[in-house]
Every structure is written in C-alpha cells, then in structure tokens.
C-alpha cells in the first residue's frame, strides 16, 4: 500500500509493474528542523497512518510505504509554496545554487520498520525574470517541495542532478529497493491475451 496521494510516486511504482493500492495518509507534517530528521519523521507518520487501515493480522505482502520529500538549502527547508508569491521567492533562492532534495522512506508491515534517507544534489540554472514568469504561469509549482517538478516543465530550471533522479521526482527508488528488495515481487497479473 502506498500511503501517499502523490501521482508521481504512484507513477514510479506503476512503471515497475507493481500491484499496490493507494491510501493517502493525512498527517500533520513537520516543516522545520534538520531535513533528514523531518523527512524521515514525516515518512514514518504517513506509513503508520496508512497502516492503520491494514487488517490487524496482515499477510506477508501487506506492507505500507510512506515517503516524504523536502528541499534543503543553506540550512532551511523549502516546502510546498503556499501561493505564487511564495513559489517565486523559493525559486529565486534556488536560482544559480545547488540544493539538496532529501527524502525519507519507510516500509512497515514487513517485520521491523525499514527506513532510509536519500539525498540528491540539484543545481539550478540562473533563473531570469522571464524564465520565472514562464514557469510560474504553468502552475506546476503547486503542491511541490521546492516549488518545482523536475519531471515536467521544471526540467528547464535545472542545470544538473547528482544522485537518484527519482528522489527528486518524489520517491527515492534506489533507497527503497535497498531497504526492501522484495518490493519487486509484487507484480501485477499479466492480462490473458489468448
């Protein structure tokens, strides 16, 4: 079970051909503090909230995945901007700089909780007023940590990525498979084409 409403996380898991359900977890997320601690705390909270809906005697395949992603620059977390003005301020701060995308990932229901923290360095191009106006007009920044989506038009803002690209999208696939390689055993049934 994926304890997230993120269409990006769902798409990454679907691209692997996995069979899973989605049950968004609504929790009060931390927004301040050390980025790794905040992301991991939020991921665990989401997984626990999602796990509250699993039967009291879960089967071996009843696992819950929680994830949280934040953007970290100069000791400050840049979360999801509240409005266009906040998105502009966030993107201006990231402009021409290297920030760290930090994700916490938690898998519950497979014995002891399995957790990991992933870090990916992303360097932005210098963002002109025209480029900022263009990107903000897309509204793609809404609901995105750091105010951008690298898998969409936000790719135009990025100069380089050092680390797991999928972490920047919202699900640190490398770290997830490191802590829970059994995930790949949850394949969808192939349709009968006879």
């Amino acid at each position: 079970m994926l304890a997230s409403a993120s269409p990006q996380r769902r798409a990454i898991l679907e691209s692997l051909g996995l069979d899973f359900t989605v049950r968004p977890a609504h929790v009060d997320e931390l927004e301040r503090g050390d980025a790794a601690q905040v992301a991991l705390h939020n991921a665990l909270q989401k997984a626990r909230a999602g796990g509250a809906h699993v039967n009291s005697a879960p089967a071996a395949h009843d696992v819950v995945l929680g994830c949280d992603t934040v953007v970290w620059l100069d000791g400050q977390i840049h979360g999801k901007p509240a409005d266009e003005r906040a998105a502009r301020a966030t993107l201006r701060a990231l402009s021409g700089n290297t920030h760290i995308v930090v994700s916490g990932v938690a898998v519950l229901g497979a014995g002891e909780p399995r957790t990991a923290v992933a870090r990916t360095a992303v360097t932005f191009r210098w963002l002109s007023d025209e480029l900022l106006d263009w990107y903000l007009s897309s509204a793609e920044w809404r609901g995105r940590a750091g105010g951008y989506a690298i898998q969409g038009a936000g790719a135009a803002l990025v100069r380089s990525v050092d680390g797991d690209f999928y972490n920047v999208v919202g699900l640190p696939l490398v770290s997830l498979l490191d802590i829970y390689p059994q995930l790949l055993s949850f394949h969808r049934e192939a349709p009968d084409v006879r």
Side-chain angles (χ1 to χ4, degrees):
M1 173 190 309
L2 174 62
S4 173
S6 166
Q8 294 76 34
R9 292 180 182 134
R10 185 170 58 243
I12 292 169
L13 294 175
E14 286 173 346
S15 73
L16 297 174
L18 302 180
D19 186 19
F20 63 97
T21 58
V22 176
R23 186 176 299 273
H26 304 287
V27 299
D28 291 329
E29 296 183 25
L30 290 180
E31 297 177 355
R32 298 188 191 286
D34 174 76
Q37 292 174 1
V38 166
L40 189 55
H41 170 85
N42 291 342
L44 276 164
Q45 291 298 99
K46 291 175 184 181
R48 288 180 179 132
H53 300 286
V54 175
N55 295 334
S56 58
H61 63 276
D62 287 336
V63 296
V64 182
L65 169 61
C67 186
D68 187 58
T69 302
V70 299
V71 167
W72 180 255
L73 175 68
D74 296 332
Q76 181 179 354
I77 290 176
H78 293 270
K80 299 171 185 170
D83 54 30
E84 187 173 319
R85 195 179 106 257
R88 184 179 297 276
T90 295
L91 294 172
R92 280 209 185 284
L94 301 179
S95 176
N97 290 310
T98 299
H99 61 273
I100 308 298
V101 176
V102 181
S103 291
V105 62
V107 177
L108 302 181
E112 291 296 314
R114 300 179 190 190
T115 62
V117 174
R119 295 168 182 84
T120 303
V122 179
T123 302
F124 262 29
R125 300 171 57 211
W126 178 79
L127 307 181
S128 66
D129 288 339
E130 293 78 15
L131 182 54
L132 274 172
D133 290 343
W134 170 81
Y135 186 69
L136 291 169
S137 71
S138 75
E140 186 181 74
W141 55 268
R142 295 182 191 277
R144 314 286 183 162
Y148 72 99
I150 195 169
Q151 72 280 8
L157 312 179
V158 175
R159 179 165 302 285
S160 65
V161 176
D162 184 10
D164 182 357
F165 173 81
Y166 290 107
N167 181 38
V168 185
V169 176
L171 182 64
L173 194 53
V174 173
S175 297
L176 174 57
L177 292 174
D178 283 348
I179 64 169
Y180 195 64
Q182 301 90 330
L183 180 73
L184 296 180
S185 65
F186 301 131
H187 283 38
R188 289 189 293 260
E189 291 291 322
D192 187 358
V193 293
R194 290 185 273 162

